[in-house]
mmCIF file of all heavy atoms in Angstrom:
data_model
loop_
_atom_site.group_PDB
_atom_site.id
_atom_site.type_symbol
_atom_site.label_atom_id
_atom_site.label_comp_id
_atom_site.label_asym_id
_atom_site.label_seq_id
_atom_site.Cartn_x
_atom_site.Cartn_y
_atom_site.Cartn_z
ATOM 1 N N ARG A 1 91.636 -44.186 124.923
ATOM 2 C CA ARG A 1 90.379 -43.807 125.582
ATOM 3 C C ARG A 1 89.212 -44.607 125.016
ATOM 4 O O ARG A 1 88.373 -45.129 125.759
ATOM 5 C CB ARG A 1 90.085 -42.325 125.361
ATOM 6 C CG ARG A 1 90.908 -41.363 126.115
ATOM 7 C CD ARG A 1 90.498 -39.939 125.687
ATOM 8 N NE ARG A 1 89.473 -39.430 126.553
ATOM 9 C CZ ARG A 1 89.725 -38.588 127.540
ATOM 10 N NH1 ARG A 1 90.947 -38.175 127.764
ATOM 11 N NH2 ARG A 1 88.749 -38.157 128.303
ATOM 12 N N ALA A 2 89.145 -44.664 123.695
ATOM 13 C CA ALA A 2 88.039 -45.371 123.057
ATOM 14 C C ALA A 2 88.110 -46.870 123.336
ATOM 15 O O ALA A 2 87.090 -47.499 123.637
ATOM 16 C CB ALA A 2 88.035 -45.107 121.554
ATOM 17 N N LEU A 3 89.312 -47.436 123.249
ATOM 18 C CA LEU A 3 89.460 -48.870 123.541
ATOM 19 C C LEU A 3 88.993 -49.191 124.957
ATOM 20 O O LEU A 3 88.296 -50.189 125.185
ATOM 21 C CB LEU A 3 90.919 -49.302 123.359
ATOM 22 C CG LEU A 3 91.372 -49.510 121.919
ATOM 23 C CD1 LEU A 3 92.893 -49.621 121.848
ATOM 24 C CD2 LEU A 3 90.721 -50.745 121.323
ATOM 25 N N ALA A 4 89.355 -48.351 125.914
ATOM 26 C CA ALA A 4 88.939 -48.570 127.296
ATOM 27 C C ALA A 4 87.417 -48.462 127.434
ATOM 28 O O ALA A 4 86.782 -49.278 128.115
ATOM 29 C CB ALA A 4 89.643 -47.580 128.220
ATOM 30 N N LEU A 5 86.832 -47.466 126.785
ATOM 31 C CA LEU A 5 85.380 -47.285 126.829
ATOM 32 C C LEU A 5 84.665 -48.505 126.267
ATOM 33 O O LEU A 5 83.758 -49.055 126.903
ATOM 34 C CB LEU A 5 84.982 -46.035 126.034
ATOM 35 C CG LEU A 5 83.493 -45.869 125.729
ATOM 36 C CD1 LEU A 5 82.689 -45.699 127.001
ATOM 37 C CD2 LEU A 5 83.274 -44.694 124.781
ATOM 38 N N TYR A 6 85.078 -48.938 125.085
ATOM 39 C CA TYR A 6 84.392 -50.067 124.456
ATOM 40 C C TYR A 6 84.575 -51.348 125.276
ATOM 41 O O TYR A 6 83.633 -52.137 125.410
ATOM 42 C CB TYR A 6 84.891 -50.269 123.026
ATOM 43 C CG TYR A 6 84.664 -49.061 122.139
ATOM 44 C CD1 TYR A 6 85.649 -48.636 121.255
ATOM 45 C CD2 TYR A 6 83.478 -48.343 122.183
ATOM 46 C CE1 TYR A 6 85.450 -47.531 120.440
ATOM 47 C CE2 TYR A 6 83.273 -47.236 121.376
ATOM 48 C CZ TYR A 6 84.268 -46.830 120.510
ATOM 49 O OH TYR A 6 84.070 -45.736 119.707
ATOM 50 N N THR A 7 85.746 -51.543 125.845
ATOM 51 C CA THR A 7 85.978 -52.725 126.674
ATOM 52 C C THR A 7 85.075 -52.693 127.902
ATOM 53 O O THR A 7 84.481 -53.716 128.274
ATOM 54 C CB THR A 7 87.464 -52.816 127.073
ATOM 55 O OG1 THR A 7 88.254 -52.902 125.869
ATOM 56 C CG2 THR A 7 87.736 -54.031 127.941
ATOM 57 N N ARG A 8 84.945 -51.525 128.542
ATOM 58 C CA ARG A 8 84.051 -51.395 129.704
ATOM 59 C C ARG A 8 82.606 -51.692 129.328
ATOM 60 O O ARG A 8 81.825 -52.142 130.175
ATOM 61 C CB ARG A 8 84.132 -49.985 130.296
ATOM 62 C CG ARG A 8 85.359 -49.707 131.109
ATOM 63 C CD ARG A 8 85.250 -48.416 131.928
ATOM 64 N NE ARG A 8 84.891 -47.248 131.145
ATOM 65 C CZ ARG A 8 85.761 -46.438 130.532
ATOM 66 N NH1 ARG A 8 87.060 -46.690 130.602
ATOM 67 N NH2 ARG A 8 85.331 -45.391 129.854
ATOM 68 N N ARG A 9 82.243 -51.444 128.079
ATOM 69 C CA ARG A 9 80.867 -51.680 127.637
ATOM 70 C C ARG A 9 80.673 -53.082 127.069
ATOM 71 O O ARG A 9 79.650 -53.382 126.459
ATOM 72 C CB ARG A 9 80.451 -50.638 126.589
ATOM 73 C CG ARG A 9 80.341 -49.189 127.122
ATOM 74 C CD ARG A 9 79.528 -49.139 128.403
ATOM 75 N NE ARG A 9 79.038 -47.834 128.764
ATOM 76 C CZ ARG A 9 79.660 -46.997 129.615
ATOM 77 N NH1 ARG A 9 80.815 -47.308 130.143
ATOM 78 N NH2 ARG A 9 79.096 -45.842 129.915
ATOM 79 N N GLY A 10 81.642 -53.963 127.246
ATOM 80 C CA GLY A 10 81.464 -55.363 126.878
ATOM 81 C C GLY A 10 81.909 -55.742 125.484
ATOM 82 O O GLY A 10 81.675 -56.882 125.045
ATOM 83 N N PHE A 11 82.566 -54.847 124.764
ATOM 84 C CA PHE A 11 83.085 -55.191 123.443
ATOM 85 C C PHE A 11 84.401 -55.951 123.601
ATOM 86 O O PHE A 11 85.195 -55.657 124.500
ATOM 87 C CB PHE A 11 83.323 -53.928 122.608
ATOM 88 C CG PHE A 11 82.062 -53.286 122.112
ATOM 89 C CD1 PHE A 11 81.336 -52.425 122.922
ATOM 90 C CD2 PHE A 11 81.592 -53.552 120.834
ATOM 91 C CE1 PHE A 11 80.164 -51.827 122.471
ATOM 92 C CE2 PHE A 11 80.426 -52.964 120.366
ATOM 93 C CZ PHE A 11 79.711 -52.097 121.196
ATOM 94 N N VAL A 12 84.614 -56.932 122.732
ATOM 95 C CA VAL A 12 85.845 -57.709 122.761
ATOM 96 C C VAL A 12 86.505 -57.648 121.384
ATOM 97 O O VAL A 12 85.833 -57.555 120.350
ATOM 98 C CB VAL A 12 85.601 -59.191 123.158
ATOM 99 C CG1 VAL A 12 85.099 -59.290 124.590
ATOM 100 C CG2 VAL A 12 84.628 -59.864 122.212
ATOM 101 N N GLU A 13 87.817 -57.678 121.397
ATOM 102 C CA GLU A 13 88.584 -57.650 120.154
ATOM 103 C C GLU A 13 88.456 -58.991 119.439
ATOM 104 O O GLU A 13 88.526 -60.045 120.055
ATOM 105 C CB GLU A 13 90.048 -57.367 120.460
ATOM 106 C CG GLU A 13 90.938 -57.359 119.250
ATOM 107 C CD GLU A 13 92.407 -57.090 119.570
ATOM 108 O OE1 GLU A 13 92.693 -56.437 120.590
ATOM 109 O OE2 GLU A 13 93.254 -57.556 118.783
ATOM 110 N N TYR A 14 88.294 -58.936 118.105
ATOM 111 C CA TYR A 14 88.287 -60.182 117.334
ATOM 112 C C TYR A 14 89.258 -60.150 116.159
ATOM 113 O O TYR A 14 89.323 -61.089 115.379
ATOM 114 C CB TYR A 14 86.872 -60.546 116.864
ATOM 115 C CG TYR A 14 86.270 -59.638 115.822
ATOM 116 C CD1 TYR A 14 86.427 -59.915 114.470
ATOM 117 C CD2 TYR A 14 85.529 -58.526 116.187
ATOM 118 C CE1 TYR A 14 85.864 -59.099 113.500
ATOM 119 C CE2 TYR A 14 84.959 -57.705 115.225
ATOM 120 C CZ TYR A 14 85.129 -57.992 113.890
ATOM 121 O OH TYR A 14 84.572 -57.172 112.939
ATOM 122 N N GLY A 15 90.047 -59.090 116.052
ATOM 123 C CA GLY A 15 91.040 -59.041 114.992
ATOM 124 C C GLY A 15 91.634 -57.654 114.849
ATOM 125 O O GLY A 15 91.172 -56.693 115.475
ATOM 126 N N ARG A 16 92.678 -57.575 114.010
ATOM 127 C CA ARG A 16 93.346 -56.297 113.764
ATOM 128 C C ARG A 16 93.737 -56.202 112.294
ATOM 129 O O ARG A 16 93.996 -57.202 111.648
ATOM 130 C CB ARG A 16 94.598 -56.156 114.627
ATOM 131 C CG ARG A 16 94.272 -55.975 116.099
ATOM 132 C CD ARG A 16 95.499 -55.680 116.916
ATOM 133 N NE ARG A 16 95.105 -55.471 118.307
ATOM 134 C CZ ARG A 16 95.534 -54.480 119.063
ATOM 135 N NH1 ARG A 16 96.411 -53.614 118.592
ATOM 136 N NH2 ARG A 16 95.126 -54.355 120.314
ATOM 137 N N ASN A 17 93.786 -54.968 111.833
ATOM 138 C CA ASN A 17 94.274 -54.675 110.490
ATOM 139 C C ASN A 17 95.395 -53.657 110.649
ATOM 140 O O ASN A 17 95.134 -52.484 110.926
ATOM 141 C CB ASN A 17 93.156 -54.115 109.609
ATOM 142 C CG ASN A 17 93.615 -53.835 108.195
ATOM 143 O OD1 ASN A 17 94.804 -53.794 107.907
ATOM 144 N ND2 ASN A 17 92.655 -53.631 107.311
ATOM 145 N N PRO A 18 96.656 -54.069 110.502
ATOM 146 C CA PRO A 18 97.777 -53.164 110.750
ATOM 147 C C PRO A 18 97.839 -51.978 109.796
ATOM 148 O O PRO A 18 98.484 -50.975 110.098
ATOM 149 C CB PRO A 18 99.013 -54.052 110.605
ATOM 150 C CG PRO A 18 98.564 -55.313 109.992
ATOM 151 C CD PRO A 18 97.086 -55.422 110.150
ATOM 152 N N ARG A 19 97.178 -52.064 108.655
ATOM 153 C CA ARG A 19 97.139 -50.958 107.704
ATOM 154 C C ARG A 19 95.691 -50.547 107.433
ATOM 155 O O ARG A 19 95.298 -50.308 106.296
ATOM 156 C CB ARG A 19 97.826 -51.351 106.398
ATOM 157 C CG ARG A 19 99.318 -51.543 106.546
ATOM 158 C CD ARG A 19 99.938 -51.879 105.227
ATOM 159 N NE ARG A 19 101.393 -51.796 105.307
ATOM 160 C CZ ARG A 19 102.180 -51.618 104.266
ATOM 161 N NH1 ARG A 19 101.665 -51.516 103.056
ATOM 162 N NH2 ARG A 19 103.481 -51.558 104.408
ATOM 163 N N GLY A 20 94.907 -50.454 108.496
ATOM 164 C CA GLY A 20 93.484 -50.151 108.362
ATOM 165 C C GLY A 20 93.204 -48.771 107.821
ATOM 166 O O GLY A 20 92.344 -48.588 106.959
ATOM 167 N N PHE A 21 93.888 -47.764 108.342
ATOM 168 C CA PHE A 21 93.795 -46.390 107.841
ATOM 169 C C PHE A 21 95.173 -45.971 107.373
ATOM 170 O O PHE A 21 96.183 -46.445 107.897
ATOM 171 C CB PHE A 21 93.363 -45.418 108.941
ATOM 172 C CG PHE A 21 91.926 -45.520 109.401
ATOM 173 C CD1 PHE A 21 91.535 -44.880 110.570
ATOM 174 C CD2 PHE A 21 90.967 -46.218 108.696
ATOM 175 C CE1 PHE A 21 90.235 -44.937 111.015
ATOM 176 C CE2 PHE A 21 89.654 -46.286 109.134
ATOM 177 C CZ PHE A 21 89.282 -45.636 110.303
ATOM 178 N N LEU A 22 95.201 -45.049 106.425
ATOM 179 C CA LEU A 22 96.458 -44.415 106.018
ATOM 180 C C LEU A 22 96.299 -42.929 106.287
ATOM 181 O O LEU A 22 95.658 -42.207 105.534
ATOM 182 C CB LEU A 22 96.775 -44.679 104.551
ATOM 183 C CG LEU A 22 98.053 -44.027 104.014
ATOM 184 C CD1 LEU A 22 99.268 -44.385 104.863
ATOM 185 C CD2 LEU A 22 98.284 -44.417 102.566
ATOM 186 N N SER A 23 96.861 -42.482 107.394
ATOM 187 C CA SER A 23 96.732 -41.102 107.837
ATOM 188 C C SER A 23 97.788 -40.224 107.178
ATOM 189 O O SER A 23 98.959 -40.612 107.089
ATOM 190 C CB SER A 23 96.899 -41.042 109.360
ATOM 191 O OG SER A 23 97.115 -39.727 109.797
ATOM 192 N N CYS A 24 97.388 -39.021 106.777
ATOM 193 C CA CYS A 24 98.362 -38.082 106.227
ATOM 194 C C CYS A 24 99.207 -37.469 107.345
ATOM 195 O O CYS A 24 100.217 -36.825 107.076
ATOM 196 C CB CYS A 24 97.668 -36.993 105.412
ATOM 197 S SG CYS A 24 96.642 -35.887 106.356
ATOM 198 N N VAL A 25 98.835 -37.709 108.594
ATOM 199 C CA VAL A 25 99.578 -37.196 109.747
ATOM 200 C C VAL A 25 100.552 -38.236 110.296
ATOM 201 O O VAL A 25 101.722 -37.948 110.532
ATOM 202 C CB VAL A 25 98.603 -36.764 110.873
ATOM 203 C CG1 VAL A 25 99.363 -36.335 112.123
ATOM 204 C CG2 VAL A 25 97.680 -35.661 110.388
ATOM 205 N N SER A 26 100.057 -39.465 110.477
ATOM 206 C CA SER A 26 100.857 -40.469 111.177
ATOM 207 C C SER A 26 101.163 -41.730 110.380
ATOM 208 O O SER A 26 101.719 -42.676 110.915
ATOM 209 C CB SER A 26 100.153 -40.855 112.487
ATOM 210 O OG SER A 26 98.860 -41.348 112.217
ATOM 211 N N GLY A 27 100.799 -41.761 109.114
ATOM 212 C CA GLY A 27 101.047 -42.966 108.317
ATOM 213 C C GLY A 27 99.988 -44.021 108.583
ATOM 214 O O GLY A 27 98.853 -43.716 108.914
ATOM 215 N N TYR A 28 100.382 -45.278 108.436
ATOM 216 C CA TYR A 28 99.423 -46.363 108.646
ATOM 217 C C TYR A 28 98.965 -46.400 110.097
ATOM 218 O O TYR A 28 99.761 -46.275 111.017
ATOM 219 C CB TYR A 28 100.029 -47.717 108.265
ATOM 220 C CG TYR A 28 100.149 -47.911 106.780
ATOM 221 C CD1 TYR A 28 101.394 -47.931 106.165
ATOM 222 C CD2 TYR A 28 99.019 -48.058 105.983
ATOM 223 C CE1 TYR A 28 101.513 -48.100 104.793
ATOM 224 C CE2 TYR A 28 99.120 -48.220 104.608
ATOM 225 C CZ TYR A 28 100.367 -48.241 104.025
ATOM 226 O OH TYR A 28 100.472 -48.401 102.673
ATOM 227 N N GLN A 29 97.663 -46.600 110.274
ATOM 228 C CA GLN A 29 97.074 -46.738 111.595
ATOM 229 C C GLN A 29 96.440 -48.121 111.691
ATOM 230 O O GLN A 29 95.642 -48.509 110.832
ATOM 231 C CB GLN A 29 96.003 -45.671 111.837
ATOM 232 C CG GLN A 29 96.548 -44.258 111.903
ATOM 233 C CD GLN A 29 95.425 -43.239 112.011
ATOM 234 O OE1 GLN A 29 94.536 -43.196 111.177
ATOM 235 N NE2 GLN A 29 95.477 -42.428 113.054
ATOM 236 N N GLU A 30 96.798 -48.837 112.736
ATOM 237 C CA GLU A 30 96.234 -50.161 112.959
ATOM 238 C C GLU A 30 94.807 -50.037 113.482
ATOM 239 O O GLU A 30 94.534 -49.261 114.397
ATOM 240 C CB GLU A 30 97.086 -50.923 113.978
ATOM 241 C CG GLU A 30 96.582 -52.320 114.246
ATOM 242 C CD GLU A 30 97.507 -53.081 115.184
ATOM 243 O OE1 GLU A 30 97.741 -52.598 116.311
ATOM 244 O OE2 GLU A 30 97.988 -54.149 114.769
ATOM 245 N N LEU A 31 93.901 -50.813 112.892
ATOM 246 C CA LEU A 31 92.521 -50.856 113.354
ATOM 247 C C LEU A 31 92.282 -52.100 114.190
ATOM 248 O O LEU A 31 92.722 -53.196 113.827
ATOM 249 C CB LEU A 31 91.547 -50.865 112.176
ATOM 250 C CG LEU A 31 91.394 -49.570 111.396
ATOM 251 C CD1 LEU A 31 90.385 -49.754 110.273
ATOM 252 C CD2 LEU A 31 90.991 -48.431 112.302
ATOM 253 N N VAL A 32 91.599 -51.913 115.307
ATOM 254 C CA VAL A 32 91.168 -53.018 116.161
ATOM 255 C C VAL A 32 89.694 -53.252 115.857
ATOM 256 O O VAL A 32 88.885 -52.324 115.919
ATOM 257 C CB VAL A 32 91.349 -52.672 117.651
ATOM 258 C CG1 VAL A 32 90.871 -53.827 118.533
ATOM 259 C CG2 VAL A 32 92.797 -52.321 117.955
ATOM 260 N N TYR A 33 89.346 -54.480 115.495
ATOM 261 C CA TYR A 33 87.960 -54.852 115.251
ATOM 262 C C TYR A 33 87.383 -55.393 116.554
ATOM 263 O O TYR A 33 87.960 -56.295 117.171
ATOM 264 C CB TYR A 33 87.862 -55.909 114.155
ATOM 265 C CG TYR A 33 88.376 -55.435 112.817
ATOM 266 C CD1 TYR A 33 89.485 -56.020 112.226
ATOM 267 C CD2 TYR A 33 87.758 -54.380 112.148
ATOM 268 C CE1 TYR A 33 89.961 -55.581 111.000
ATOM 269 C CE2 TYR A 33 88.229 -53.936 110.930
ATOM 270 C CZ TYR A 33 89.330 -54.548 110.358
ATOM 271 O OH TYR A 33 89.795 -54.098 109.154
ATOM 272 N N MET A 34 86.253 -54.821 116.964
ATOM 273 C CA MET A 34 85.625 -55.229 118.222
ATOM 274 C C MET A 34 84.155 -55.555 117.972
ATOM 275 O O MET A 34 83.543 -55.034 117.035
ATOM 276 C CB MET A 34 85.752 -54.118 119.269
ATOM 277 C CG MET A 34 87.189 -53.715 119.563
ATOM 278 S SD MET A 34 87.329 -52.489 120.895
ATOM 279 C CE MET A 34 87.237 -53.591 122.328
ATOM 280 N N ARG A 35 83.622 -56.401 118.824
ATOM 281 C CA ARG A 35 82.215 -56.761 118.716
ATOM 282 C C ARG A 35 81.643 -57.015 120.103
ATOM 283 O O ARG A 35 82.374 -57.304 121.051
ATOM 284 C CB ARG A 35 82.019 -58.001 117.849
ATOM 285 C CG ARG A 35 82.569 -59.264 118.455
ATOM 286 C CD ARG A 35 82.393 -60.458 117.516
ATOM 287 N NE ARG A 35 82.836 -61.675 118.154
ATOM 288 C CZ ARG A 35 82.067 -62.441 118.936
ATOM 289 N NH1 ARG A 35 80.815 -62.118 119.163
ATOM 290 N NH2 ARG A 35 82.551 -63.531 119.489
ATOM 291 N N ARG A 36 80.344 -56.880 120.199
ATOM 292 C CA ARG A 36 79.632 -57.203 121.435
ATOM 293 C C ARG A 36 78.403 -58.004 121.058
ATOM 294 O O ARG A 36 77.628 -57.601 120.184
ATOM 295 C CB ARG A 36 79.214 -55.936 122.172
ATOM 296 C CG ARG A 36 78.437 -56.283 123.429
ATOM 297 C CD ARG A 36 77.854 -55.076 124.102
ATOM 298 N NE ARG A 36 76.773 -55.523 124.964
ATOM 299 C CZ ARG A 36 76.539 -55.049 126.151
ATOM 300 N NH1 ARG A 36 77.315 -54.103 126.647
ATOM 301 N NH2 ARG A 36 75.534 -55.496 126.877
ATOM 302 N N GLU A 37 78.242 -59.139 121.726
ATOM 303 C CA GLU A 37 77.047 -59.942 121.505
ATOM 304 C C GLU A 37 75.893 -59.318 122.271
ATOM 305 O O GLU A 37 76.070 -58.813 123.378
ATOM 306 C CB GLU A 37 77.281 -61.387 121.941
ATOM 307 C CG GLU A 37 78.294 -62.094 121.060
ATOM 308 C CD GLU A 37 78.532 -63.544 121.431
ATOM 309 O OE1 GLU A 37 77.775 -64.097 122.259
ATOM 310 O OE2 GLU A 37 79.485 -64.126 120.881
ATOM 311 N N LEU A 38 74.706 -59.351 121.663
ATOM 312 C CA LEU A 38 73.511 -58.756 122.248
ATOM 313 C C LEU A 38 72.470 -59.832 122.514
ATOM 314 O O LEU A 38 72.465 -60.880 121.871
ATOM 315 C CB LEU A 38 72.922 -57.706 121.295
ATOM 316 C CG LEU A 38 73.875 -56.607 120.844
ATOM 317 C CD1 LEU A 38 73.230 -55.759 119.759
ATOM 318 C CD2 LEU A 38 74.304 -55.744 122.017
ATOM 319 N N ASP A 39 71.574 -59.553 123.428
ATOM 320 C CA ASP A 39 70.475 -60.463 123.724
ATOM 321 C C ASP A 39 69.342 -60.215 122.746
ATOM 322 O O ASP A 39 68.358 -59.551 123.048
ATOM 323 C CB ASP A 39 69.980 -60.260 125.155
ATOM 324 C CG ASP A 39 71.046 -60.594 126.184
ATOM 325 O OD1 ASP A 39 71.838 -61.512 125.913
ATOM 326 O OD2 ASP A 39 71.084 -59.948 127.239
ATOM 327 N N ALA A 40 69.521 -60.717 121.534
ATOM 328 C CA ALA A 40 68.526 -60.533 120.479
ATOM 329 C C ALA A 40 68.482 -61.802 119.637
ATOM 330 O O ALA A 40 69.414 -62.608 119.664
ATOM 331 C CB ALA A 40 68.895 -59.337 119.609
ATOM 332 N N PRO A 41 67.404 -62.003 118.889
ATOM 333 C CA PRO A 41 67.312 -63.202 118.043
ATOM 334 C C PRO A 41 68.504 -63.311 117.096
ATOM 335 O O PRO A 41 68.989 -62.303 116.595
ATOM 336 C CB PRO A 41 66.021 -62.986 117.264
ATOM 337 C CG PRO A 41 65.231 -62.018 118.081
ATOM 338 C CD PRO A 41 66.236 -61.149 118.776
ATOM 339 N N ALA A 42 68.952 -64.533 116.869
ATOM 340 C CA ALA A 42 70.139 -64.755 116.038
ATOM 341 C C ALA A 42 69.815 -64.901 114.560
ATOM 342 O O ALA A 42 70.696 -64.913 113.741
ATOM 343 C CB ALA A 42 70.881 -65.992 116.526
ATOM 344 N N ALA A 43 68.552 -65.032 114.207
ATOM 345 C CA ALA A 43 68.200 -65.223 112.801
ATOM 346 C C ALA A 43 66.896 -64.496 112.499
ATOM 347 O O ALA A 43 66.074 -64.293 113.380
ATOM 348 C CB ALA A 43 68.054 -66.705 112.486
ATOM 349 N N ARG A 44 66.738 -64.125 111.267
ATOM 350 C CA ARG A 44 65.527 -63.435 110.847
ATOM 351 C C ARG A 44 64.344 -64.390 110.940
ATOM 352 O O ARG A 44 64.377 -65.494 110.414
ATOM 353 C CB ARG A 44 65.701 -62.944 109.420
ATOM 354 C CG ARG A 44 64.566 -62.047 108.971
ATOM 355 C CD ARG A 44 64.676 -61.648 107.543
ATOM 356 N NE ARG A 44 65.991 -61.137 107.216
ATOM 357 C CZ ARG A 44 66.228 -60.347 106.194
ATOM 358 N NH1 ARG A 44 65.259 -59.977 105.406
ATOM 359 N NH2 ARG A 44 67.435 -59.938 105.928
ATOM 360 N N VAL A 45 63.301 -63.965 111.615
ATOM 361 C CA VAL A 45 62.104 -64.784 111.754
ATOM 362 C C VAL A 45 61.461 -64.969 110.393
ATOM 363 O O VAL A 45 61.314 -64.013 109.624
ATOM 364 C CB VAL A 45 61.105 -64.117 112.732
ATOM 365 C CG1 VAL A 45 59.828 -64.924 112.831
ATOM 366 C CG2 VAL A 45 61.747 -63.966 114.104
ATOM 367 N N GLY A 46 61.100 -66.199 110.074
ATOM 368 C CA GLY A 46 60.423 -66.470 108.823
ATOM 369 C C GLY A 46 61.357 -66.711 107.644
ATOM 370 O O GLY A 46 60.882 -66.957 106.545
ATOM 371 N N THR A 47 62.647 -66.647 107.856
ATOM 372 C CA THR A 47 63.583 -66.867 106.771
ATOM 373 C C THR A 47 63.785 -68.360 106.581
ATOM 374 O O THR A 47 64.058 -69.078 107.537
ATOM 375 C CB THR A 47 64.935 -66.191 107.064
ATOM 376 O OG1 THR A 47 64.698 -64.808 107.216
ATOM 377 C CG2 THR A 47 65.923 -66.440 105.957
#
């Protein structure tokens, strides 16, 4: 559900961690890293 929501909102996968979480219920949980580019300045002004 969450993956579908984030994809609909323009987030894209850029990597995975197969042992991202260690759940006491289900063992290792793979994490999907996602990002979305925004229309904002790319660098701090004045830096």
Side-chain angles (χ1 to χ4, degrees):
R1 287 177 92 100
L3 282 167
L5 167 64
Y6 300 138
T7 300
R8 284 193 307 271
R9 293 311 197 265
F11 286 83
V12 295
E13 178 181 333
Y14 68 91
R16 290 187 178 226
N17 182 345
R19 292 182 168 202
F21 289 167
L22 178 54
S23 165
C24 67
V25 175
S26 58
Y28 286 111
Q29 294 175 304
E30 181 176 58
L31 288 180
V32 179
Y33 298 116
M34 302 184 82
R35 68 182 184 87
R36 178 187 160 140
E37 293 182 10
L38 305 172
D39 297 326
R44 188 184 310 202
V45 177
T47 300

